[in-house]
Amino acid sequence: MTLFAKIFTTKTLLQIVFVLAATVMMKAMSTHYDFNWVIALAQG
């Protein structure tokens, strides 16, 4: 059970890191291209 908890924790942490990295990338791209994701998602 400890091994399962360890794997689950690692997987969860990786998912969190991936989401944060994707968010930072989107923020950097929107700053670079002067693009607002909130407005684009609201319109689309």
Side-chain angles (χ1 to χ4, degrees):
M1 200 65 184
T2 307
L3 179 63
F4 177 78
K6 229 182 238 187
I7 293 172
F8 180 74
T9 303
T10 305
K11 184 180 177 186
T12 306
L13 286 174
L14 285 174
Q15 287 176 338
I16 292 170
V17 168
F18 180 77
V19 169
L20 287 175
T23 306
V24 170
M25 286 288 292
M26 287 173 63
K27 179 76 173 161
M29 285 176 61
S30 62
T31 302
H32 181 70
Y33 292 109
D34 196 24
F35 181 76
N36 194 330
W37 287 99
V38 177
I39 293 173
L41 290 173
Q43 289 176 348

